[in-house]
Amino acid sequence: MPVHDVVIVGGGGAGLRAAIAVAEENPDLSVAIVSKVFPMRSHTVAAEGGAAAVIKDNDSLEDHFRDTISGSDWLADQDAVEEFVREAPSEMIQLEHWGCPWSREPDGKVAVRPFGGMKIERTWFAADKTGFHMLHTLYQTSLKYDNVTPYDEWFVTNILVENGRCQGVTALELRTGKTEVIAAKAVIICTGGAGRIFPFTTNGAIKTGDGMALAYRAGVGLKDMEFVQYHPTGLPGTGILITEAARGEGGILVNKEGYRYLEDYDLGKPLDVTHPDHPVKKSMELGPRDRLSQAFIKEVEKGRTFIDELGHYVHLDVRHLGQKKIDKKIPFVRELASKYAGIDPVYHPIPVRPVVHYCMGGIDTDKEGATTLPGLFAAGEAACVSINGANRLGSNSLTELLVFGARSGRGAAKFAIEHPDLDMSSLEKQALDEQSRITKNFICKQKGSERIANLRQEMTQSMESGAGIYRSESSLKETCNKLAELRDRFSNILIEDRSLTFNTELTSALELDFMIEVARSLAHSALERRESRGSHQRTDHVNRDDQNFLKHSLALQTEEGPKIGYKEVVITSWPPEERVYGR
Amino acid sequence: MTRKTMELEILRYRPEKEERPTFETYEIPFKEEWVVLDAINYIKDNIDGSLSYRWSCRMGVCGSCGMMLNGIPKLSCAVFLRDYYPDKVRVEPLTGFPIQRDLVIVMDDFIHKLKEIKPWIIRDEGQEQSLEEGEYLQSPAELAAFKQYSMCINCMLCYAACPVYAIDNSFVGPAAIALAQRYNLDSRDHGRELRQDVIASNEGVWECTFVGECSEVCPKDVDPAGAIQRGKVSGTIDYFKDVLMPWGG
Amino acid sequence: MSKSSEPIWWSLFAAGGVVAALFIPVLMIITGIILPFTLTGEEPFVFERIHGAATHPIIRLLIFCIIVFPLFHFAHRFRSILVDIGLLKIRPVISVVCYGSAIFGTIVTAIILWSFS
Amino acid sequence: MKPYVREYPNTWWLSRRPYFLFMVREFTAVFVAAYCVFLIYFVYKLSQGPDAYYGVIELLRSPLSIILHIIAFIFAIYHSITWFNLTPKIFILRFGEEQVPPFLISGANFIAWVVVSAIVAWIILVV
C-alpha cells in the first residue's frame, strides 16, 4: 500500500499549488496528486478572463477587500478576505516567477484589466486564456519536484477515517480497475465544483462535485451550497463561456430591441461606447454576475430577448473594439464564437445567455483550508473558506486557488509532520471493504434497469427548474423530492460494462452518485434560506434578511437526507450595507 | 419530416474480451449543431454504455478528446458532424500510441517525455529574484517571442500526425520539443543548455524529417514543426561553436 | 544521452538543399533543353569555351559545391526514406551506405577537379 | 490488461495526400543526386579532351536524355518550391511584437532563385 505524507485529491490549480507548497515546505515530505484525469485536463484550464490581485499604485488592498465583500453580499468571512487580498499579490508574483506568460504593459510590467464588480482594474491576464496558462505553468512547475508523485487517472472513491482523523483515501486505478488504499497523514481535497449537476453549464464533464460528496460522506459539512453563480455570458446550446473580459474590454449587452437593458435594473446609466470613460467600473456591463444574470431572466419575462431553437438569448456586442484589439486582448472569444456559434465577433454580436458557472459553496474550511475532520483539508472551488459569500467576484477564483491552495498545502504539511502514525491494518481492511462495495454494487452488479444517462438528465432538469436563478419554496420542495426519488432509483442502475480496464460506465455511475449527493445538499440549503441574497434569489422572499440569514448554511449528511444548520459570518470591519452598483 | 441520421464507425477494443480491435457501426441522429463528441456521448448515453473515451471541457482547451476522424487527428469537440454528413465517420484512437481500451490511448510515454525536457523556469545561480522585488520585467516583444509555443494543450494530435513517432517511439516528438522551445525562448529562463541534452540528442530534433503535419493538425497553431527546425539550426550553431571554440565562446 | 554528430550531416544536408534549390533547375534547363535544341546556337557549348572556363579555380570550386552538397542532401533524405518505408532496424547500415556514397562521390569529384587539365 | 499496439504500415505515406506529397518531396533528392552524378561524368569527360566532350554533347541530344532531363527537372522544381516555402518555418524574424509575415521570407527566397538562375544562365550562355 502506498503511503504518503500528503495526498492531494485533484490536480487542478488548487491541487497543484498545494502540492508545490508541500514540496517546498519540506523536501522530505512525499506528496501524491491523485487525479481522475491528467492534471492538465483539469477545469482550471477553461478559465479565461483573469486573476485579481492588487499590484498597481492606484489600487489598494482595502479596495480589493471592499469589492469582494460587497460582491459577496456580505456573506464572505471578512477575516478570510483580509488574508486573501493580502496574500494575493505575492502568490501572483510567484506564478510570474514560475513562468506564467502574463500579458504585459509596454514597460514590461504585468498588465491588468477591469472586471465586473471592481472599483479599480486589478485583473491580471494572459490574453483570455488565463486559466489555461496558470494550470500549465503550475503543472509544468510541479514536475520539477521529485517528491511529488502523480497518480494520474485514479478515481478517489472514499475518504478513510480512522481514530477520528483522515488517514488516506481509496482510489480506483482506471487502467487496471483495482481499488487501492493510498494512505496519507493528511489529505487535501481540490476537486473543483459541481456545475455538472445542472444541465447547462460552462463546466467540463469532470466537474461532478466528487470531493464535496467525499467530504460530506466523511461527516464534514458543506457550506453555503445554495449559492450557485450563473455567468451572464455563455453561448446558447453549448454553454461555452464567453469571458467577462469581453465586457471588461468594453463589450456591451443589448436585447432584441438593441437596447442596453441593464440600465433598467439599477446598474447605472450607459455611456456611449465611444465615450472615453466607457466601460465604467462597477456599473452596467461591469456589474456583478448575479445581478446581470437576474436581469436576463427579467428581460425574458418582458419578452425582450431573442429566441431561436436553442432558447432565449441577448447580444454581447464587441464590434466597436475593432479587430486589432479583439485579436490581442480576447482572441479566444473570437475563436470560440466563430467555431461554436458560427459568428465572427469582429462583424456580428455574439448570442449569449446566463449559464451555471461556479459553486460559491463547498466543503466547510477555515482560513488554513482545514475542515472539521482532523487531517482533511480542502481548497479551490471544492472548498468554501468563505471569501465568495453569496456571489463570487469575477477573477477572484483563480487567485483563490493559489492563495488557499498554498495555505492548505502548508497546513497539511504541518499536520502530517505532527501526526506521523497511521493505522495500517485498519486501512487495509477498509480497502477490502471498498473494493467489494465497488465490485458488488457496480462492476458485477446484476439486474438493474435505470440508465445512468436518464437519471442524470432527470437530476439536471430538476435542478434547473427548481433551483435555478430564481427559486421558491414550492419549486425547491419539488426538486428535493425529485432528488430523494433519484437517490432511491440509483440503487437500481443498469451497468453493462464488466471490464476492469478504463471502465467509464463505472466512473459515470460513481460520479452520478456523488452528484445526487451534492445536489441534495444544495437544494435543501436553498429551501431553508428564506431570503434573497446574491446569487440566491427567492421569488417568495425577495429581500435580504440580515436578521435571520446573515450566516452560513451548513449541510450535514444524515440517514434522512441533508440536515441544514448555520454558522456565523465573520464581520471584522465592514458591517452590512446596501449593495450599490452604478450609483 | 423524417429524422436525419448518420453513421459512426468506431474502433472498439475490449482487452478482456478480444485479441484485437474491431470496428463497430452506430447509427446516430444528425443534428446541425452537434460536434462529433456530442454524437459519441449520444452513443454512450443511449446505445452502448460501455464505450470508453476521454473528454471534458468540450471547448477545445483541455486537450482530452483527440481522436482520428477519417484518418486525421482532430479534437472531437471541435469538429462538427455537418462537416461529414451524410458520409460515415470513422473514429479511431490516436495513431502512434498503444490502445488501452476503445478510444483511450496510453499516454505514459508523453508524460515521461514532458518531464524529461524540464518544462519549468530554470535560473542561473543567484539570479532568483525575491517575491518582494516584484515581477520580472518582460516586454510585450519578449513575450511574443515564445507565446506561440506556450499555447500547447498537450492534446497529442501532433504525435498522432507524426510518422516519425509512429515508426520510432524514441523520438522526443513535436509537443515536447515545442514546449522546450517555449522555455528556451522565455527571457526569464536560463535553462536552455540543460534542455539541450534531450533536445539536441539523436532522439531529439534530429529525428524529425519535417513532414510538417504536426503543425497542420495543431488546433492551437503552436507550429511544433517550426520549433523543431529552429532547434536544428540552433543545435547546429552550438555544435560548431563547440568544435571551433572548445574553450567556450 | 550521447552527443550527436547529426549537426554535421544536417548542415551538409541543408547546404545541399539550398544549392539544389537555387542552381540545379537552371542547369537542367541548359543541359536538357537549351543545349540539345540549340536554342542559343552552338557557340556557347564549344569545347574551348567550356574547358577554358572550367580551368578557372573559382569556377571549379563552384562546380565542386554544386555537385557535392546535393549529394549529402540526397544521402540525408534517402536515409530517412528507407527508414520511412520500414527499414528502421538496419538504420546504422543505411546511414553508412548513404553518407558513404556521398563521401565517395565527393572524393571522386575532388580528384577529377583537382587533376583537371 | 495489455494495451494493444497497432502496426504502422510501411505504406503509411500512401494513406493521405500530405504524406504522399512529403514522400515526393523527399524523393526529389534522388533526381537531384542523379543529375549531380551526371555532372561528375560531364566534368570528367570535359577533362578528357574535345572528343570525349563532344561525345557527351551528342548524348545530351538524344531523346532519352531530353526525356530524363524533363522528368528530373519537374522534381527539381518541386524541390525548389517546397524548400523555399518551408524556410519561413526556420527563419522567424521579429520586429518587436510583430512577426515578419512568412510569405515575405519565402518571397525573398523565390526572388533570389530567379536572380541566381539568371546569373548562372548568363555566365554559361553569354559571357
Side-chain angles (χ1 to χ4, degrees), chain A residues 128-129 330-341 343 345, chain B residues 59-61 151 219-221:
Chain A
D128 53 358
K129 287 198 179 168
I330 46 171
F332 197 37
V333 167
R334 191 173 180 197
E335 182 188 328
L336 291 172
S338 304
K339 194 174 278 165
Y340 294 101
I343 69 107
Chain B
M59 57 190 278
V61 70
M151 304 304 276
K220 300 289 152 187
D221 297 323

mmCIF file of all heavy atoms in Angstrom, chain A residues 128-129 330-341 343 345, chain B residues 59-61 151 219-221:
data_model
loop_
_atom_site.group_PDB
_atom_site.id
_atom_site.type_symbol
_atom_site.label_atom_id
_atom_site.label_comp_id
_atom_site.label_asym_id
_atom_site.label_seq_id
_atom_site.Cartn_x
_atom_site.Cartn_y
_atom_site.Cartn_z
ATOM 1 N N ASP A 128 -6.849 35.884 -23.156
ATOM 2 C CA ASP A 128 -8.058 35.389 -22.500
ATOM 3 C C ASP A 128 -7.968 33.884 -22.319
ATOM 4 O O ASP A 128 -8.938 33.162 -22.460
ATOM 5 C CB ASP A 128 -9.335 35.807 -23.251
ATOM 6 C CG ASP A 128 -9.306 35.430 -24.711
ATOM 7 O OD1 ASP A 128 -8.283 34.887 -25.158
ATOM 8 O OD2 ASP A 128 -10.313 35.673 -25.400
ATOM 9 N N LYS A 129 -6.764 33.426 -21.989
ATOM 10 C CA LYS A 129 -6.583 32.026 -21.626
ATOM 11 C C LYS A 129 -5.838 31.947 -20.298
ATOM 12 O O LYS A 129 -4.899 31.169 -20.139
ATOM 13 C CB LYS A 129 -5.791 31.312 -22.717
ATOM 14 C CG LYS A 129 -6.620 31.091 -23.965
ATOM 15 C CD LYS A 129 -5.997 30.030 -24.816
ATOM 16 C CE LYS A 129 -6.863 29.834 -26.040
ATOM 17 N NZ LYS A 129 -6.193 29.043 -27.041
ATOM 18 N N ILE A 330 -8.790 39.542 -26.584
ATOM 19 C CA ILE A 330 -9.746 38.447 -26.381
ATOM 20 C C ILE A 330 -9.804 37.523 -27.611
ATOM 21 O O ILE A 330 -10.868 37.254 -28.155
ATOM 22 C CB ILE A 330 -11.161 38.992 -26.024
ATOM 23 C CG1 ILE A 330 -11.566 40.146 -26.967
ATOM 24 C CG2 ILE A 330 -11.241 39.428 -24.582
ATOM 25 C CD1 ILE A 330 -13.028 40.581 -26.796
ATOM 26 N N PRO A 331 -8.646 36.999 -28.017
ATOM 27 C CA PRO A 331 -8.627 36.152 -29.220
ATOM 28 C C PRO A 331 -9.437 34.872 -29.059
ATOM 29 O O PRO A 331 -10.019 34.374 -30.019
ATOM 30 C CB PRO A 331 -7.140 35.822 -29.391
ATOM 31 C CG PRO A 331 -6.528 36.001 -28.040
ATOM 32 C CD PRO A 331 -7.311 37.124 -27.411
ATOM 33 N N PHE A 332 -9.478 34.345 -27.831
ATOM 34 C CA PHE A 332 -10.191 33.083 -27.606
ATOM 35 C C PHE A 332 -11.693 33.284 -27.765
ATOM 36 O O PHE A 332 -12.401 32.394 -28.220
ATOM 37 C CB PHE A 332 -9.842 32.550 -26.212
ATOM 38 C CG PHE A 332 -10.155 31.096 -25.992
ATOM 39 C CD1 PHE A 332 -9.973 30.153 -27.003
ATOM 40 C CD2 PHE A 332 -10.599 30.656 -24.751
ATOM 41 C CE1 PHE A 332 -10.248 28.809 -26.780
ATOM 42 C CE2 PHE A 332 -10.871 29.314 -24.526
ATOM 43 C CZ PHE A 332 -10.707 28.390 -25.529
ATOM 44 N N VAL A 333 -12.177 34.478 -27.393
ATOM 45 C CA VAL A 333 -13.589 34.794 -27.601
ATOM 46 C C VAL A 333 -13.910 34.692 -29.091
ATOM 47 O O VAL A 333 -14.901 34.091 -29.498
ATOM 48 C CB VAL A 333 -13.916 36.211 -27.092
ATOM 49 C CG1 VAL A 333 -15.280 36.664 -27.591
ATOM 50 C CG2 VAL A 333 -13.869 36.256 -25.571
ATOM 51 N N ARG A 334 -13.016 35.232 -29.884
ATOM 52 C CA ARG A 334 -13.252 35.184 -31.325
ATOM 53 C C ARG A 334 -13.230 33.747 -31.829
ATOM 54 O O ARG A 334 -14.075 33.324 -32.615
ATOM 55 C CB ARG A 334 -12.177 36.018 -32.033
ATOM 56 C CG ARG A 334 -12.506 36.236 -33.492
ATOM 57 C CD ARG A 334 -11.556 37.199 -34.175
ATOM 58 N NE ARG A 334 -11.959 37.351 -35.572
ATOM 59 C CZ ARG A 334 -11.176 37.857 -36.514
ATOM 60 N NH1 ARG A 334 -9.972 38.295 -36.207
ATOM 61 N NH2 ARG A 334 -11.604 37.940 -37.751
ATOM 62 N N GLU A 335 -12.248 32.982 -31.323
ATOM 63 C CA GLU A 335 -12.123 31.586 -31.743
ATOM 64 C C GLU A 335 -13.378 30.794 -31.369
ATOM 65 O O GLU A 335 -13.944 30.062 -32.190
ATOM 66 C CB GLU A 335 -10.879 30.984 -31.066
ATOM 67 C CG GLU A 335 -10.578 29.545 -31.446
ATOM 68 C CD GLU A 335 -9.445 28.938 -30.595
ATOM 69 O OE1 GLU A 335 -8.536 29.694 -30.200
ATOM 70 O OE2 GLU A 335 -9.502 27.734 -30.320
ATOM 71 N N LEU A 336 -13.820 30.949 -30.118
ATOM 72 C CA LEU A 336 -14.975 30.171 -29.647
ATOM 73 C C LEU A 336 -16.254 30.573 -30.358
ATOM 74 O O LEU A 336 -17.036 29.722 -30.777
ATOM 75 C CB LEU A 336 -15.140 30.352 -28.131
ATOM 76 C CG LEU A 336 -14.065 29.715 -27.256
ATOM 77 C CD1 LEU A 336 -14.242 30.136 -25.803
ATOM 78 C CD2 LEU A 336 -14.080 28.199 -27.373
ATOM 79 N N ALA A 337 -16.470 31.891 -30.486
ATOM 80 C CA ALA A 337 -17.705 32.353 -31.126
ATOM 81 C C ALA A 337 -17.739 31.910 -32.584
ATOM 82 O O ALA A 337 -18.771 31.486 -33.100
ATOM 83 C CB ALA A 337 -17.820 33.870 -31.022
ATOM 84 N N SER A 338 -16.593 31.987 -33.244
ATOM 85 C CA SER A 338 -16.564 31.599 -34.648
ATOM 86 C C SER A 338 -16.834 30.105 -34.798
ATOM 87 O O SER A 338 -17.604 29.678 -35.642
ATOM 88 C CB SER A 338 -15.201 31.914 -35.265
ATOM 89 O OG SER A 338 -14.896 33.265 -35.088
ATOM 90 N N LYS A 339 -16.183 29.319 -33.938
ATOM 91 C CA LYS A 339 -16.297 27.870 -34.079
ATOM 92 C C LYS A 339 -17.652 27.368 -33.618
ATOM 93 O O LYS A 339 -18.296 26.592 -34.301
ATOM 94 C CB LYS A 339 -15.176 27.208 -33.269
ATOM 95 C CG LYS A 339 -14.996 25.753 -33.611
ATOM 96 C CD LYS A 339 -13.789 25.153 -32.908
ATOM 97 C CE LYS A 339 -12.503 25.448 -33.632
ATOM 98 N NZ LYS A 339 -11.325 25.177 -32.796
ATOM 99 N N TYR A 340 -18.107 27.817 -32.443
ATOM 100 C CA TYR A 340 -19.286 27.184 -31.854
ATOM 101 C C TYR A 340 -20.587 27.948 -32.065
ATOM 102 O O TYR A 340 -21.655 27.378 -31.919
ATOM 103 C CB TYR A 340 -19.050 26.932 -30.361
ATOM 104 C CG TYR A 340 -17.962 25.916 -30.121
ATOM 105 C CD1 TYR A 340 -16.678 26.299 -29.755
ATOM 106 C CD2 TYR A 340 -18.212 24.551 -30.294
ATOM 107 C CE1 TYR A 340 -15.672 25.356 -29.545
ATOM 108 C CE2 TYR A 340 -17.219 23.609 -30.101
ATOM 109 C CZ TYR A 340 -15.953 24.023 -29.717
ATOM 110 O OH TYR A 340 -14.973 23.089 -29.525
ATOM 111 N N ALA A 341 -20.513 29.239 -32.354
ATOM 112 C CA ALA A 341 -21.752 29.964 -32.615
ATOM 113 C C ALA A 341 -21.825 30.371 -34.082
ATOM 114 O O ALA A 341 -22.827 30.900 -34.543
ATOM 115 C CB ALA A 341 -21.854 31.193 -31.715
ATOM 116 N N ILE A 343 -20.381 32.749 -35.629
ATOM 117 C CA ILE A 343 -20.350 34.177 -35.935
ATOM 118 C C ILE A 343 -18.993 34.757 -35.559
ATOM 119 O O ILE A 343 -18.372 34.338 -34.586
ATOM 120 C CB ILE A 343 -21.481 34.963 -35.223
ATOM 121 C CG1 ILE A 343 -21.232 34.992 -33.719
ATOM 122 C CG2 ILE A 343 -22.858 34.431 -35.514
ATOM 123 C CD1 ILE A 343 -20.799 36.338 -33.283
ATOM 124 N N PRO A 345 -17.134 37.712 -34.058
ATOM 125 C CA PRO A 345 -17.479 38.886 -33.239
ATOM 126 C C PRO A 345 -16.920 40.205 -33.758
ATOM 127 O O PRO A 345 -17.348 41.270 -33.314
ATOM 128 C CB PRO A 345 -16.897 38.572 -31.860
ATOM 129 C CG PRO A 345 -16.195 37.280 -31.962
ATOM 130 C CD PRO A 345 -16.361 36.717 -33.326
ATOM 131 N N MET B 59 -14.700 22.484 -25.199
ATOM 132 C CA MET B 59 -14.489 23.787 -25.839
ATOM 133 C C MET B 59 -13.056 23.915 -26.348
ATOM 134 O O MET B 59 -12.536 25.013 -26.499
ATOM 135 C CB MET B 59 -14.880 24.926 -24.902
ATOM 136 C CG MET B 59 -14.156 24.926 -23.588
ATOM 137 S SD MET B 59 -14.853 26.124 -22.411
ATOM 138 C CE MET B 59 -14.052 27.625 -22.969
ATOM 139 N N GLY B 60 -12.443 22.786 -26.625
ATOM 140 C CA GLY B 60 -11.158 22.801 -27.320
ATOM 141 C C GLY B 60 -9.994 23.320 -26.520
ATOM 142 O O GLY B 60 -9.061 23.879 -27.081
ATOM 143 N N VAL B 61 -10.015 23.146 -25.198
ATOM 144 C CA VAL B 61 -8.882 23.675 -24.446
ATOM 145 C C VAL B 61 -8.288 22.688 -23.434
ATOM 146 O O VAL B 61 -7.137 22.820 -23.041
ATOM 147 C CB VAL B 61 -9.240 25.037 -23.807
ATOM 148 C CG1 VAL B 61 -10.240 24.850 -22.678
ATOM 149 C CG2 VAL B 61 -8.016 25.770 -23.284
ATOM 150 N N MET B 151 1.148 27.840 -26.161
ATOM 151 C CA MET B 151 -0.278 27.592 -26.344
ATOM 152 C C MET B 151 -0.637 26.110 -26.416
ATOM 153 O O MET B 151 -1.797 25.741 -26.578
ATOM 154 C CB MET B 151 -0.788 28.290 -27.609
ATOM 155 C CG MET B 151 -0.534 29.790 -27.659
ATOM 156 S SD MET B 151 -1.216 30.661 -26.251
ATOM 157 C CE MET B 151 -2.892 30.869 -26.802
ATOM 158 N N PRO B 219 -4.446 22.187 -33.140
ATOM 159 C CA PRO B 219 -5.647 23.019 -33.011
ATOM 160 C C PRO B 219 -5.350 24.408 -32.451
ATOM 161 O O PRO B 219 -6.223 25.261 -32.428
ATOM 162 C CB PRO B 219 -6.521 22.225 -32.045
ATOM 163 C CG PRO B 219 -5.572 21.418 -31.230
ATOM 164 C CD PRO B 219 -4.396 21.123 -32.124
ATOM 165 N N LYS B 220 -4.126 24.631 -31.973
ATOM 166 C CA LYS B 220 -3.809 25.914 -31.346
ATOM 167 C C LYS B 220 -2.703 26.656 -32.096
ATOM 168 O O LYS B 220 -2.084 27.572 -31.533
ATOM 169 C CB LYS B 220 -3.399 25.692 -29.882
ATOM 170 C CG LYS B 220 -4.490 25.038 -29.050
ATOM 171 C CD LYS B 220 -5.659 25.979 -28.797
ATOM 172 C CE LYS B 220 -6.947 25.197 -28.615
ATOM 173 N NZ LYS B 220 -8.139 26.038 -28.539
ATOM 174 N N ASP B 221 -2.408 26.241 -33.304
ATOM 175 C CA ASP B 221 -1.396 26.917 -34.134
ATOM 176 C C ASP B 221 -0.050 27.088 -33.431
ATOM 177 O O ASP B 221 0.585 28.140 -33.539
ATOM 178 C CB ASP B 221 -1.904 28.292 -34.595
ATOM 179 C CG ASP B 221 -3.124 28.152 -35.483
ATOM 180 O OD1 ASP B 221 -3.155 27.197 -36.274
ATOM 181 O OD2 ASP B 221 -4.040 28.975 -35.376
#
